[in-house]
Amino acid sequence: MPHFKKLTPNLLVANVERSLAFYVDTLGFARGMTVPDAPPLVFASITSGAVEIFFNDVATAVKEYSAFAGQPIGATGTMYIEVEGVDALHDRLKANVPIAMPIATQFYGMREFAIQDPDGYVVTFAERV
């Protein structure tokens, strides 16, 4: 059996610079690498601790993955990110970011809420209580 080491969401986005700015300036991630080094970008990454997310320009990605042609961007799943200080993060974001799921303590012991990013991806932030 293989030993899986890491999962990095690789999101198709309408505008790499916009996604990079949202995740860095609004959510607080650190900027990773970009391709090319200056806009217009076709790829970028962001990081925070063990969390890493890639952003790919949709037109560029379709050249490698033809199955993406004509498909809407966004997803029906969520990215689920555990954090420390979920209430403070919620309070900081709620006035400026679309809230997809209000903050609540769930029966399975997590306090969580979800936001929607500029491309329609849903990001759930959670903290064990």
Side-chain angles (χ1 to χ4, degrees), residues 27-108:
L27 298 183
F29 284 84
R31 181 184 175 122
M33 71 179 251
T34 64
V35 176
D37 292 333
L41 303 176
V42 297
F43 172 85
S45 67
I46 52 98
T47 62
S48 180
V51 176
E52 180 178 45
I53 302 171
F54 292 167
F55 306 114
N56 278 277
D57 172 72
V58 69
T60 303
V62 166
K63 292 175 187 174
E64 293 182 21
Y65 301 96
S66 60
F68 293 150
Q71 298 295 319
I73 57 177
T76 57
T78 68
M79 288 185 288
Y80 194 85
I81 301 173
E82 289 191 34
V83 300
E84 292 179 0
V86 72
D87 285 291
L89 180 61
H90 175 266
D91 291 346
R92 183 172 66 79
L93 295 177
K94 67 183 176 185
N96 301 314
V97 177
I99 301 295
M101 180 184 74
I103 194 161
T105 301
Q106 305 294 354
F107 72 91
Y108 44 84

